[in-house]
Structures are given as C-alpha cells and as structure tokens.
Amino acid sequence: MQRFSKRRGEEGFTLIELLVVIVILGILSAVVVFAVRGTGDKGQNAAQLTDKRTVRTAEESFCAKFGQYGTEKQLAGIDAAPDGQKYKFLSEESTLTDVQTVPGGKCTGSGIADKSGFITGFAAPNGGSPAQIDSLKLAASGGNGYPTPFEWVRGPGHLNANYMFDPMLWKDATGQYIPWLATAVPTVANGGISADYKTYTFTLRSGVTWQDGVAFTANDVKFTFDYQKTGAATTVTQCFCKGAFPYINSVTVNSPTSVSFNLNTAIPNTFMGNIGTGMIIIPEHIWTTITTPAAQHTSANAYIGTGAYKLNNPTAYDPSTGVSQYDAYSGFFLGTPYVRQLRFITVTDSVAALTTKAVDAGGVGSEEAVTDAALAPVASLPKVQNAGGWNRAFHFNLTQGFPYNDVKFRQAVAYTVDRKALLQSIVGGRGMPGSMGNLAPSHEMLDPGLPAYDRDVNKSKALLDQLGIVDTNADGKRECPAANPCTLVNTTGANTTSVTPANFTPNLFTSTRFNTATADAIKQYLLDVGLDSTVVGEASSTSDARAKAGTYGMMLVGWGNLTSDADQLRTRLDHSYTSVAANKAFTSIYGWNNTANATSFMAKAQQQLFEPDPALRKKYVQEMQQLVAADVPIFTIYVPDTILFYQVGSLSAWYSTPGGTPPGPPGFSNKHVFITGKQFGLPAGF
C-alpha cells in the first residue's frame, strides 16, 4: 500500500475549520442576496417614479395642446386625440404606469388627483414587486368599536367592518365610484338611473357567497335597507347611509341579481355616496331574527360578510386596543386578495416601529407635532402625503341658551383662537388652518372668499362688552349680565345652571382621545379676553356620547369627513335634519335655527341636495359656507395633512382616497389597495 505523507508547507484543513469556512461563506452569500434584493426593490421604485414623471410630462403636453388630459392609448398614439389625429406623446404605452382620467377634473398642470384631471398608478399590482404580500403589519387603533355592521365606531371602525362586509360600490384612488357587489355604477346612460333620478337600479354580481357559503342575492340588499329604516336597526346610527333614507319609499327586488331603490324625491348628487358606498350589505339569513343589532359582538355570526377578509378569533377581539388579524377569505368574489393577511399590532412610537421594521407602514398622527429631526430615522423611506380631511372643530350647542345662542359670543370666541399658531404647535405645521365655512381647505366646493377670523383680541373683547359679559370687579374675569343670566352645562349631562352675577366659567368639553394641548391652549386664549373656562377631558366613548346628545355649551370634537360630499354641511348643521333622533351624530350641531342666516342655510341645503347642475349646486354650497362663517355655529381649528411612510419592498401602492371611503375618512387603509395591489381599477375580468 502506498503511503502519502504531507510535504513541508502543505498542511491541510481540519473538519472544524472547513465547517467554519462554510458557515462564513453562507452568511456572506445571504448578505449579498439580501443586498441585491434590496437593490432590486429600490431599482423597481426608481423605475416606477421615472416612468411616472415621463407619463406626467406627456399628459401636460397633451393638456397644453387640447385643453384636457388624454388616455394612455391617446398618449401613445394608438387612439385618436380630440382633433381626430394620432400623436406620439409617448413612444409606446407604458407597462409600468396606468393613467386614469378623472371626470370633471381640471387641466391645470398640477397632476394632483383632487385638483387635476388625471391620476397615475401602477400598471401591475404594487408596481410588479412583490408578486403578493403574505402579511402586512400595521399599527392598531383602539376605540373604534367592534367590526360588526352595527357596532363599529367612527370612520376607522367603519373601514374595519368593510374588510369583512361590502357595499354595492366602492372608491379607488381617483375618488370615483367603482363597482363592487354591483357589476357597474348605475348611470342614466346605462339605464341604472331613471331620467327623473327617482329610480336607481343596481345589477348585482352572480355567484357571490357569504363567508358561510350561503348565496348572496338582491334580497339581502332589500333586507339591509328595510332592517335599518323600519326594522330592528331603526335607531342604530352606525351607517353613512341614512342621509338618503327620508327620500326612499321602497326597495324592489327585480331578480336575484337586480334591485331598485324607488325615491319620492330626486337626489342626483348624494345617493351613490349614501346608499352605493355607505350601506354595507348584511346577510338576511343571519340578521332576520336578531332584534338587538348593537349587541352581537359575542356571536361569530355577526362577523360573516361577503368581504375579502375574515377576522381571526372574532369573539376575542378587544376594541380598546384594536389588535387584530384579518385573514384572506379564499371564496372572495374578486379572487384571493393581493395582501393575504392584515395584522394590526400595538405601536407606541410609529417612527421607532418603522425604523425597526416592526410595521410595514405607519404615519404621523393627526395631532403629532413631530419635528423634522424626529423624523430623520425614516426620512429616507418612501411616503405618501395628502391634504387631509380630519379636523379638530369647536362646536357650540345653541339649544343651551345664552350666551351660546348669540352670534356675538360665538364670533368673540372664534376671534380669540390663533388657529395658525395651533397648527404649528399641535401639528408641526403639516396641514392648514380650517375654513370657517366648515369644508376642508382642499374641498373642490370650497368658497375661497370666506372671512378668516384671524386672532383679534380687541374685536373679541368689544363683542363681549356688547353682550354685557364684562369684568365688573376688576379681577380680570368677566361676569354674566344680571339682565341676561348665562347658562352653564354640568358634567353630569343635560343639567344646566343659570349664574349671575358671578364669573362666567363655562365648561369646555373635550376628548382625551385627542391632544389635550389644544384644549389647554384655547383655555388660555379665552382667558386672554377674560373668559375663565374649565377644560373637562373625558374618555372617547363618553365624549362621543356627549357630542351626539348635545349635552354641552362648548366642545372640542375631532372627526374626519371634511373632504366628503358637500351635503355633509346639511347633515351636520341643518336643524331640521339634526333634530331628528335617528340622525343625531357626534358631528352634529344643534339649535342653529332661529336666525335669518340659519333659515337661508336650510333653504340652500335643500336646493343643493336636489340640484342636478354641478355649477349651480356649487353656488348653493358656497352660499351655505358664507352663512356658516357669518353665524359661527361651528368652526374648524386645523386640518392636518395625512402622511404615511412605508418600507421599501413592502406594499407601495398606497394612496389616500379623495373624498373618503365611503363619505368618511380619506385615510390610507382602503381595502381596495389591499385586495388589488393597485391604485385604481379591478382585476382583469371583473
């Protein structure tokens, strides 16, 4: 046998040394793969952004030539332009970017969805990368009730319920209606709306099932309406749909896939928002025997819808935290959702959670004055920023008597508040001071000529002096006039106490859900003119109940539908509407009905509701804003921008829905983007 021996300098590796080398090489290869993947994600995003800029340039060129924006095929010269000729604004149709024209949009050169006539989005889901998302981690939000049809609270709660339940229509990034349970958006042209706007017919999808396997039909739509107008849910107000109820006589089932709403009065502007998107459809076979719809969260059946997701372990859901998991429903009628799972987790610091990748996306809160320095750790992340629709508002209840029912007092209070300073100190300058007309500053029907009510202490003092609310004992605090006692609203509810000639020390109610610094600052503003108020902070549920019941004289309330249809002014301020028990909401203003301005407002509110001409309707809406600004039954303090940062390589098709979803919050958690991975439109074939 030949024997081999090592020559000098030819030492070999031991088995352990070889294993160590293999491990090191494995680690290095993983790092390289990870780095390459990250580079690919960044390259994909960069390509998408570059392509979007190219498309936008082409659109602006088209706009300059024709005074309107073009379709993708018009830009690429595939379809003819308005003059009948074909032009090459793009060398070819983009494979990365979709273009959607917005009806009624302006050819302004801005390219912004809520101001312009076109919007760009992903041609492939999520820009083509990743192919699907197995799980998306987001920050949980407590205080939004249970995600059942009749136990959700506020706009975010409605969005949660819509993960499992569906309306007939929905909205995408254009802010326009898209078919959902319906096969098309009804129009006069397609026969879905009668010429007199008194009959709306929805053709429904066939083959849709509830998550327990029972077939969905038009009977479920009729039942949903009847259950809320005349049935067990008559007094339950968790619905963005009831604004249309007084004008609907009946609902007719034409076939299993066709249902008609028969109106007594034409409402051409708001029906789609109220009934089309605002009324989530419930299964008749489950709810027909339920007589207490607002107390069903302990039953798993209360969470069964037609939606894309099912709530994991629904009966263990804790509304105080909002921590939850929604899993894709394999039988969803639009196919398996692009995002297979939504996980809402506890987050105490959104910037830290983004930095450590504990969440895939997170935003600056509505009332967080986060400095640029504090945002530095996430400054390199991609983000979406839009003009917001959430606002902090100052409510007066005029039914409580003097001085709340006197316009001079309300104007005096408005003049004390430095809304620009509060925007800086509370929101870090990210947003705009509110409009005195009570629509969002970005609203398409905003009246730009409204008075600003900038802080003016001298004007405020003069108005209070005219009311006889003066400082008679030189202690720096004003007293009520003996001839006209003031009303104080107690913390116990509707009880009131008249006080004279003692100091006028009204309660300023607010929710601890929101930044208490706003209430504290306003207390000081009021004290600057001699009004010694008391800030009363209450839990969210208590505060919302107080706002809904109207058991306050002055109150700070936060809510988020300022960008929705302008009919919101009617449903919030028209006393003939808000005085009806079924219509009461925490956004309502009570008692503005005894002045000439209020009477004119109510008349204009009806005119805009029934007016089919958009230009004339806008005129009525702007006149409504002027009346609100003159009488100040409510004023918006500030409207923060919405900002969302997201991780590279995760979901990147985020958008904030113009006008809200449905007529509620315009936030980023639109189920459309989770289901399709796109910014507008539905999957091919639907």
Side-chain angles (χ1 to χ4, degrees), residues 204 216-223 251 253-259:
L204 306 173
F216 158 79
T217 72
N219 288 324
D220 294 303
V221 177
K222 173 177 170 55
F223 172 80
V251 177
V253 173
N254 308 311
S255 74
T257 57
S258 177
V259 61

Side-chain angles (χ1 to χ4, degrees), residues 397-419:
N397 184 348
L398 284 66
T399 66
Q400 298 291 359
F402 183 79
Y404 319 106
N405 61 358
D406 195 300
V407 63
K408 291 180 180 179
F409 177 77
R410 301 192 300 273
Q411 290 175 335
V413 171
Y415 277 124
T416 69
V417 179
D418 192 335
R419 292 177 294 138

Side-chain angles (χ1 to χ4, degrees), residues 247-387:
Y247 309 103
I248 301 174
N249 281 335
S250 63
V251 177
T252 303
V253 173
N254 308 311
S255 74
T257 57
S258 177
V259 61
S260 295
F261 289 76
N262 310 300
L263 282 60
N264 53 50
T265 305
I267 48 173
N269 304 301
T270 62
F271 184 87
M272 293 303 182
N274 280 278
I275 300 300
T277 63
M279 189 172 76
I280 57 176
I281 310 303
I282 60 174
E284 179 181 16
H285 68 280
I286 289 176
W287 291 90
T288 188
T289 60
I290 295 176
T291 57
T292 55
Q296 297 302 309
H297 59 266
T298 58
S299 170
N301 281 343
Y303 301 85
I304 292 176
T306 56
Y309 297 96
K310 301 181 74 172
L311 180 61
N312 187 290
N313 197 10
T315 57
Y317 177 81
D318 183 357
S320 67
T321 65
V323 172
S324 54
Q325 177 177 308
Y326 296 84
D327 298 320
Y329 169 49
S330 60
F332 181 54
F333 57 86
L334 291 180
T336 304
Y338 180 79
V339 178
R340 284 4 186 207
Q341 181 186 85
L342 300 171
R343 289 182 58 204
F344 293 91
I345 63 176
T346 299
V347 172
T348 55
D349 184 332
S350 58
V351 172
L354 284 162
T355 304
T356 61
K357 297 189 176 182
V359 294
D360 294 304
V364 177
S366 296
E367 293 187 298
E368 289 183 69
V370 183
T371 64
D372 290 339
L375 289 175
V378 296
S380 63
L381 291 179
K383 69 177 180 179
V384 183
Q385 181 167 346
N386 298 99

Side-chain angles (χ1 to χ4, degrees), residues 41 147 236 291 300:
D41 292 330
V236 180
T291 57

Side-chain angles (χ1 to χ4, degrees), residues 224-245:
T224 299
F225 173 78
D226 292 341
Y227 190 69
Q228 294 178 87
K229 185 169 184 180
T230 60
T234 302
T235 60
V236 180
T237 58
Q238 268 91 340
C239 182
F240 285 117
C241 58
K242 290 196 172 181
F245 278 24

